[in-house]
């Protein structure tokens, strides 16, 4: 009997198979672990049933039921490109298993969009998809379940703590990976300080201004956009769905957050052709890019600094941080957006 552990709770293969059979009437004949992804609090499995249909089974303790209900709502209303789990026996798009939340979603055979050469048609379709999401009006009961933009950035304290440690005299020895982390923060002190200051100043300003909130995916970058074998685009991983200004999603194209896949001006034009006429607020766009940078600094920095973590995971986090401060990384993109405001 094999098991997978998530936050001190384990679940066996047999328990997963029995639950999927009970909740979805699926006879799974093959179940494999899926590698990849940055969500360390979840486990994803690929299941194949007796009819050779494939499904993604996600086991987690961190996903809000609200996001699952919202994606089910979008799919039920025919928004092509939105993905949602199948309804369980009680109609909910998830079921409980030993204190864990389990979802079963049809598997999409495809590749992340940032790994392929997207055509003009793909970029237009991407814009059309986000436009449909942003113009969807949720029922009041669903709308009230989702988090709303507050213009407060998680992770600020963590980034400041690491930056302070990097600047000060170290009174205790640190291991090699922690030393590398502190050296990186010190080498990029000016950029990090500028971004931290910007989210405080701009955040306070935006909190005093009215906003036009829409349904946002919240993580709509090209790593969460799958190009399927039938050439369709599918937006996955809706865990960060939020009610916020549309710039919350538009930053992933009009700014870009994947260092290895910068987005050209021509690709942005194609996207906007599909999205439609929109007046983008450069202040909000800069804020969200700075916010994303801070959250990346905080998450990866905390993972490197925690010496109880697996060394391989710590090294991966350090590699990701180095990408964030590269010439095409989110830090440089955020700083450029700030300069455009000043100009």
């Amino acid at each position: 009997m094999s098991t997978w552990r998530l936050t001190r709770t384990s679940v066996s293969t047999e328990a997963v198979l029995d639950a999927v059979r009970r909740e979805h009437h699926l006879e799974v004949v093959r179940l494999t672990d899926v590698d990849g992804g940055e969500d360390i609090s979840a486990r994803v499995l690929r299941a194949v049933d007796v009819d050779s249909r494939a499904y993604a089974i996600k086991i987690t303790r961190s996903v809000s039921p609200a996001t699952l209900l919202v994606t089910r709502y979008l799919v039920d209303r025919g928004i092509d490109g939105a993905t949602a789990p199948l309804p369980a026996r009680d109609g909910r798009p998830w079921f409980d298993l030993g204190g864990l939340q389990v979802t079963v979603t049809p598997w999409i055979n495809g590749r992340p969009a940032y790994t392929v050469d997207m055509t003009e048609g793909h970029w237009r379709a991407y814009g059309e998809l986000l436009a449909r999401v942003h113009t969807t009006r949720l029922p009041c009961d669903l709308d009230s379940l989702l988090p709303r933009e507050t213009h407060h950035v998680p992770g600020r304290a963590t980034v400041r703590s690491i930056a302070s440690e990097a600047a000060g005299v170290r009174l205790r020895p640190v291991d090699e990976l922690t030393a590398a982390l502190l050296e990186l923060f010190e080498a990029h002190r000016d950029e990090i300080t500028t971004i931290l200051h910007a989210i405080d100043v701009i955040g306070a300003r935006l909190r005093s201004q009215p906003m036009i909130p829409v349904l946002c995916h919240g993580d709509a970058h090209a790593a969460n956009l799958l190009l399927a074998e039938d050439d369709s685009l599918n937006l996955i991983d809706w865990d960060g769905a939020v009610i916020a200004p549309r710039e919350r999603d538009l930053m992933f194209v009009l700014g870009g957050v994947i260092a290895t896949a910068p987005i050209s001006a021509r690709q942005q034009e194609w996207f906007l052709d599909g999205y439609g006429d929109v007046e983008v607020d450069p202040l909000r766009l800069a804020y969200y890019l700075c916010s994303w940078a801070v959250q990346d600094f905080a998450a990866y920095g905390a993972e490197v600094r925690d010496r109880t973590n697996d060394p391989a995971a710590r090294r991966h986090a350090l590699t990701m941080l180095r990408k964030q401060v590269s010439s095409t990384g989110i830090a440089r993109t955020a700083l450029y957006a700030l300069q455009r405001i000043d100009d």
Side-chain angles (χ1 to χ4, degrees), residues 40-51:
I40 60 175
S41 66
R43 205 66 181 266
V44 178
L45 309 168
R46 185 177 189 272
V48 179
D49 69 6
V50 292
D51 296 316

Side-chain angles (χ1 to χ4, degrees), residues 116-245:
V116 301
D117 187 12
M118 288 174 61
T119 66
E120 178 178 350
H122 293 144
W123 284 103
R124 289 177 185 271
Y126 187 9
E128 291 170 359
L129 172 56
L130 273 188
R132 290 199 68 187
V133 172
H134 292 169
T135 54
T136 294
R137 287 197 170 190
L138 296 175
C140 291
D141 58 338
L142 278 185
D143 184 274
S144 64
L145 291 176
L146 285 177
R148 308 187 82 81
E149 178 60 74
T150 63
H151 296 107
H152 289 284
V153 180
R156 289 163 56 252
T158 298
V159 175
R160 287 197 167 95
S161 174
I162 298 174
S164 177
E165 186 177 354
V169 177
R170 294 194 284 272
L171 301 179
R172 57 182 176 80
V174 295
D175 68 320
E176 180 181 354
L177 290 173
T178 302
L181 168 68
L182 299 179
E183 289 171 5
L184 183 147
F185 263 64
E186 186 62 18
H188 296 276
R189 170 170 298 279
D190 289 345
E191 299 102 301
I192 293 172
T193 300
T194 298
I195 290 171
L196 284 170
H197 177 70
I199 61 170
D200 286 343
V201 173
I202 299 175
R205 181 174 171 183
L206 293 178
R207 284 193 294 274
S208 67
Q209 295 180 357
M211 67 177 181
I212 302 176
V214 300
L215 170 62
C216 289
H217 177 279
D219 205 8
H221 51 72
N224 283 331
L225 189 69
L226 294 185
L227 181 60
E229 292 179 345
D230 63 2
D231 210 39
S232 64
L233 290 176
N234 298 269
L235 193 55
I236 64 171
D237 196 359
W238 289 73
D239 295 356
V242 61
I243 303 298

Side-chain angles (χ1 to χ4, degrees), residues 13-88:
T13 305
E14 287 76 4
V16 172
L17 294 176
D18 288 344
V20 169
R21 184 182 303 113
R22 180 179 65 252
E23 296 290 339
H24 296 285
H25 306 291
L26 296 178
E27 293 293 337
V28 175
V29 296
R30 189 164 66 253
L31 192 65
T32 54
D33 205 11
V34 178
D35 294 327
E38 297 296 326
D39 187 356
I40 60 175
S41 66
R43 205 66 181 266
V44 178
L45 309 168
R46 185 177 189 272
V48 179
D49 69 6
V50 292
D51 296 316
S52 299
R53 293 172 299 193
Y55 302 87
I57 300 177
K58 186 172 185 178
I59 308 169
T60 184
R61 293 188 65 176
S62 64
V63 177
S64 167
T67 63
L68 303 177
L69 293 169
V70 166
T71 54
R72 189 69 256 167
Y73 180 87
L74 294 175
V75 170
D76 288 345
R77 273 142 193 83
I79 295 187
D80 294 334
T83 57
L86 301 175

